[in-house]
Amino acid sequence: MSGKKSPPFISFTVNEQMVDAAIVSFVESYGIYAVLGTAVAGLLYALLLIRQTLKHDEGTEKMKKVNSAIMQGSKAYLSKQFRSVLLPVAFLAIALYFTASAQTFDVQLGRAGAFLMGALFSGSVGYIGMTMAVKGNVRVASAARRSFTEALKIAYRTGTITGMLTDGLGLLGGTIIFMLYGPEKAFEVLLGFGFGGSLMALFLRVGGGIYTKSADVGADLVGKVEQGIPEDDPRNPAVIADLVGDNVGDCAGMAADIFESYEVSIVAAMILGLAAFPGSVMGVMFPLVVRAIGVLSSIIGTYVVTAGGKGGESHDAMRAIKKGFNVSALISTAGFFLLSVYYMDSLGPFFATLTGVLLAVAINYQTDFFTSKKFAPVKEIAKSALTGPATVVLSGLSTGYEATVAAILLIAAAIVGAGMFYGATNYALVSYSIALAGIGFLTLTGNNVSMDAFGPISDNASGIGEMAGLEPKARHVLDELDSVGNSTKAITKGIAIGSAVLAAISLFNSYFDIAKITTLSLNDPMVFVGLLIGGSVPFLFSSVAIRAVSRGAISMVNEVRRQFKTRPGIMKGTEEPDYGKCVEISTAAAQHELLTLGAIAILSPLIVGFGLHEYALGGFLVGSIVTGSLLAIFMSTTGGAWDNAKKLVESGEHGGKGSDAHKAVVVGDTIGDPLKDTAGPALNPMLKVINLISVMVVPMMIAYKSDMLVSGAAVAVCGAGIVWAIWQSRKTVELK
């Protein structure tokens, strides 16, 4: 560190070099233990919140009965899903052992074990987060009978449990692997950890999305449009399946989605950190310590969220949530600055990381503008309902296309900005700076996941209030929380997509380093063919996901119609619907397509890599990232805009509930449901699965490049696997 100069605005009263050396020595000797302790602190905070949540009462017997049905359906679905993916996960763990064949036995074993750990952690975040969300739902509904402040506190802190599990387990896994294998070997093992988390997130995201939208579409089309009954009306046979879907989709699915982005971004940053700072651990330690700072700031920020105001009561939930987010952002930003100056001896890492934080804020505002009913785009869609569903669809598509351009420009600006601030002329440093932007983007993961889980928790609490017939005051409190929850869900969907794009780009840069590629020439026909194939994969993936929702919705609509027709006592309130049948239909719809979508994500890069080799695979990755990002943003934003246009009309605009305009926006919302909650979000883990499998297997592809027998056999087996999976997907299956 000799010859190092401190910034001109910082002065020391002792020898600068001695102070600098002491700081570096302390961070590199003891920093990893501090990071490990921070991860454990995050998990202990989650346990504290679990105890606090469970102390609150569950309300009346009717509320408990409704919540018990939601819990049974949620657990039954996830248990079945975990059983269905157990065999593929075990097979892939064995396969990953051999992908590290060029390494030592400990790395081979470590990669396979880390894959299982990543899958376990990702599944645990989803399962525990969903379970606590269901337990918190009824307690929020009960608290709403007493106080808005109490209901908000329970809802947000229950969501924070999932947020801190994401933070704590993500940081814990990466830190343990780094401590066991050291900076030179850790990234090889961490690739398995990231892949395990990404694969499980893919299954949870896709399965949960298909489940919830099969139920939601069926409940809306028959309940709202045909029968004219309110949302969450206990007479609707699909209402319990709909409420279950909120938990398995928005809680379990989203938590696992952000968890794997959290994992993957740290993996990419460590790989690129070694390349950017050869012979030093600084590039690896910096992102780990940044993550630890983020965990601590999230603990503080989430705990200060309260609706207390003058007189002890305020009904501005969004203001309280933003207050907590801002507190966390300020603490973490100050920590990044000090770490960058005193450890990295440069403000470059600080600005690169800060770029990610600023991008997260910009994405929040951009998503809010295009999806909130307060602004012109959604108001225009709602107004178009006066002329029927066709103009609602056209207006929504236009809004989605425009929003996609805005979001991509923000992400592009962040990438350029990060590179300019730190090493603009050095490719290794530019790649590292982009990875740091991804680290900064997900620094406040605890806050982001808390905001996301708050949405389905408040939504379910409102549904329980409707079904249990709570008094008007409590229903008003729950409606207010539900309205804020819709906004926080839309915002965190934007965060999830942005994190997926940055993580995929960072992994792509890692691919260059591992494959020993310096550039991709677009005038190379094989590269261009790879780009075209990669660009088409997100479309195929989305097609299968949307078709799965369509099939599930058709079965759900037929079942709900059958119950209304054959059991007239349901509409009179003298007979209880068969909720269990609808839960079974959603579960079957979700399970049917899981392996097909997994096969597309895992096998398609293997076909290109073994068949057309590493340069074509590089083009394949570029194509999948570009079209996958565009599609994900478009589908999520368009669906969110249609959803809030419906809510705007339901609030009394353009005729209100039951009007022709309302029926028109319900059609738009129904079309948008599988876009914003199934296909769009599922592209996030798909992009990372594709990139991770490419990074792990490309050394083997290069090794067998000249062996036509091995390469041809790999292409034939993988190609047959995809064809079989798609053929199975297209088969008409009766969902019972």
Side-chain angles (χ1 to χ4, degrees):
M1 304 296 292
S2 59
K4 187 171 95 169
K5 294 183 180 180
S6 61
F9 48 82
I10 296 176
S11 62
F12 297 104
T13 57
V14 295
N15 186 282
E16 288 182 29
Q17 294 182 4
M18 290 177 61
V19 171
D20 294 338
I23 291 173
V24 171
S25 176
F26 177 82
V27 171
E28 294 181 356
S29 300
Y30 302 103
I32 193 67
Y33 297 103
V35 173
L36 182 65
T38 303
V40 173
L43 296 176
L44 291 175
Y45 180 49
L47 290 175
L48 171 66
L49 294 176
I50 289 174
R51 290 189 61 186
Q52 290 181 351
T53 298
L54 296 180
K55 285 181 180 179
H56 296 281
D57 71 279
E58 298 180 71
T60 65
E61 288 302 318
K62 193 169 184 180
M63 293 166 66
K64 293 178 183 177
K65 181 181 178 181
V66 173
N67 196 60
S68 176
I70 297 172
M71 178 66 80
Q72 290 175 12
S74 301
K75 286 190 171 182
Y77 167 72
L78 278 190
S79 297
K80 185 171 183 178
Q81 175 159 326
F82 287 142
R83 289 195 301 271
S84 68
V85 302
L86 189 60
L87 190 61
V89 166
F91 172 79
L92 285 169
I94 297 171
L96 285 184
Y97 175 88
F98 293 102
T99 64
S101 58
Q103 303 297 326
T104 56
F105 173 74
D106 61 327
V107 173
Q108 289 178 290
L109 193 63
R111 179 177 285 185
F115 168 76
L116 294 175
M117 182 170 69
L120 176 64
F121 281 9
S122 184
S124 298
V125 168
Y127 188 83
I128 297 172
M130 181 212 70
T131 301
M132 288 310 304
V134 178
K135 288 181 179 293
N137 297 338
V138 69
R139 289 168 169 83
V140 173
S142 178
R145 304 164 71 196
R146 297 183 295 272
S147 161
F148 179 89
T149 300
E150 184 183 353
L152 169 64
K153 183 185 291 186
I154 296 172
Y156 191 77
R157 291 189 178 177
T158 302
T160 303
I161 294 169
T162 310
M164 298 317 301
L165 286 173
T166 303
D167 257 343
L169 289 176
L171 190 59
L172 180 68
T175 305
I176 289 175
I177 291 171
F178 179 75
M179 293 175 71
L180 290 176
Y181 286 90
E184 297 299 329
K185 292 183 177 179
F187 80 89
E188 292 278 1
V189 179
L190 280 166
L191 287 171
F193 183 61
F195 183 53
S198 294
L199 188 66
M200 187 58 68
L202 178 65
F203 288 140
L204 287 171
R205 204 57 167 119
V206 170
I210 294 171
Y211 185 109
T212 184
K213 292 305 108 179
S214 296
D216 195 13
V217 171
D220 282 356
L221 285 179
V222 183
K224 287 184 179 179
V225 177
E226 295 182 8
Q227 298 295 330
I229 58 178
E231 189 167 356
D232 299 326
D233 192 298
R235 294 172 293 177
N236 193 327
V239 68
I240 292 294
D242 190 11
L243 293 173
V244 169
D246 290 336
N247 293 290
V248 300
D250 287 327
C251 287
M254 175 63 92
D257 184 0
I258 295 185
F259 175 80
E260 56 94 16
S261 288
Y262 191 91
E263 289 178 353
V264 168
S265 59
I266 198 73
V267 171
M270 292 175 74
I271 294 173
L272 296 169
L274 285 173
F277 298 91
S280 170
V281 299
M282 294 179 73
V284 176
M285 283 300 301
F286 182 78
L288 283 173
V289 178
V290 164
R291 277 285 158 81
I293 293 170
V295 172
L296 292 175
S297 63
S298 288
I299 291 174
I300 297 170
T302 55
Y303 205 77
V304 303
V305 173
T306 175
K310 293 182 179 180
E313 186 84 348
S314 167
H315 281 219
D316 194 342
M318 183 58 83
R319 180 181 179 184
I321 292 171
K322 285 183 176 179
K323 173 187 173 184
F325 186 91
N326 291 337
V327 167
S328 295
L330 287 173
I331 294 172
S332 58
T333 301
F336 303 159
F337 177 80
L338 295 174
L339 182 67
S340 186
V341 170
Y342 289 109
Y343 178 56
M344 298 294 283
D345 187 34
S346 168
L347 285 175
F350 166 72
F351 283 119
T353 309
L354 182 63
T355 300
V357 177
L358 294 177
L359 175 61
V361 174
I363 289 288
N364 283 351
Y365 281 105
Q366 181 266 345
T367 304
D368 193 39
F369 175 76
F370 284 103
T371 62
S372 172
K373 58 185 182 181
K374 296 182 296 183
F375 298 108
V378 169
K379 289 181 178 180
E380 181 181 339
I381 296 172
K383 187 177 181 181
S384 70
L386 294 171
T387 50
T391 46
V392 169
V393 172
L394 292 173
S395 183
L397 291 174
S398 173
T399 297
Y401 287 131
E402 183 181 357
T404 301
V405 175
I408 288 296
L409 289 177
L410 289 174
I411 294 171
I415 292 171
V416 173
M420 288 176 61
F421 282 127
Y422 193 27
T425 59
N426 185 312
Y427 176 76
L429 287 176
V430 169
S431 299
Y432 182 61
S433 69
I434 295 170
L436 289 183
I439 293 288
F441 192 83
L442 284 176
T443 293
L444 302 181
T445 292
N447 300 72
N448 290 327
V449 178
S450 302
M451 290 168 61
D452 179 74
F454 175 83
I457 289 169
S458 57
D459 187 11
N460 264 222
S462 180
I464 291 171
E466 172 78 29
M467 295 188 70
L470 294 188
E471 52 272 20
K473 178 185 175 183
R475 289 299 319 282
H476 178 68
V477 169
L478 293 171
D479 285 344
E480 286 190 68
L481 293 177
D482 187 21
S483 176
V484 174
N486 287 327
S487 298
T488 59
K489 280 195 298 183
I491 289 171
T492 49
K493 277 188 175 68
I495 293 293
I497 294 170
S499 69
V501 175
L502 289 176
I505 292 170
S506 297
L507 283 172
F508 177 66
N509 289 329
S510 303
Y511 175 82
F512 270 66
D513 185 57
I514 292 172
K516 309 303 181 186
I517 293 175
T518 56
T519 185
L520 286 176
S521 178
L522 289 179
N523 63 3
D524 181 343
M526 290 299 100
V527 173
F528 199 76
V529 167
L531 192 150
L532 291 175
I533 296 172
S536 70
V537 168
F539 288 91
L540 176 62
F541 189 90
S542 300
S543 167
V544 175
I546 293 172
R547 182 166 60 242
V549 174
S550 176
R551 286 176 172 172
I554 290 170
S555 297
M556 188 68 69
V557 167
N558 289 335
E559 173 60 22
V560 175
R561 284 174 176 170
R562 183 193 67 79
Q563 290 197 35
F564 280 133
K565 183 178 180 180
T566 60
R567 303 169 67 181
I570 292 177
M571 283 300 293
K572 297 176 182 177
T574 59
E575 188 176 1
E576 187 173 275
D578 182 1
Y579 301 122
K581 182 64 177 176
C582 294
V583 170
E584 291 174 9
I585 289 173
S586 280
T587 301
Q591 298 300 313
H592 184 250
E593 304 293 353
L594 281 182
L595 297 184
T596 300
L597 292 164
I600 292 171
I602 295 171
L603 299 181
S604 58
L606 298 182
I607 294 172
V608 174
F610 280 108
L612 303 177
H613 309 307
E614 69 273 19
Y615 285 92
L617 182 56
F620 175 90
L621 296 179
V622 173
S624 64
I625 291 171
V626 171
T627 61
S629 303
L630 293 170
L631 267 179
I633 295 169
F634 169 74
M635 289 193 285
S636 295
T637 307
T638 305
W642 275 325
D643 185 17
N644 280 324
K646 178 197 70 176
K647 289 180 171 61
L648 181 59
V649 173
E650 289 178 343
S651 69
E653 295 285 330
H654 310 303
K657 292 182 180 180
S659 64
D660 288 340
H662 182 229
K663 292 178 181 178
V665 288
V666 167
V667 172
D669 177 47
T670 304
I671 296 171
D673 275 339
L675 303 185
K676 70 180 176 65
D677 291 321
T678 306
L683 287 171
N684 302 340
M686 185 215 74
L687 288 176
K688 282 162 283 187
V689 167
I690 284 176
N691 279 270
L692 279 166
I693 199 74
S694 300
V695 169
M696 287 189 293
V697 182
V698 71
M700 186 180 293
M701 294 172 179
I702 295 172
Y704 290 100
K705 184 176 180 179
S706 58
D707 191 328
M708 298 301 293
L709 181 62
V710 173
S711 297
V715 171
V717 171
C718 294
I722 284 190
V723 170
W724 181 85
I726 295 174
W727 177 71
Q728 288 292 315
S729 170
R730 295 192 65 84
K731 287 171 63 177
T732 301
V733 176
E734 185 179 357
L735 301 174
K736 296 182 179 180

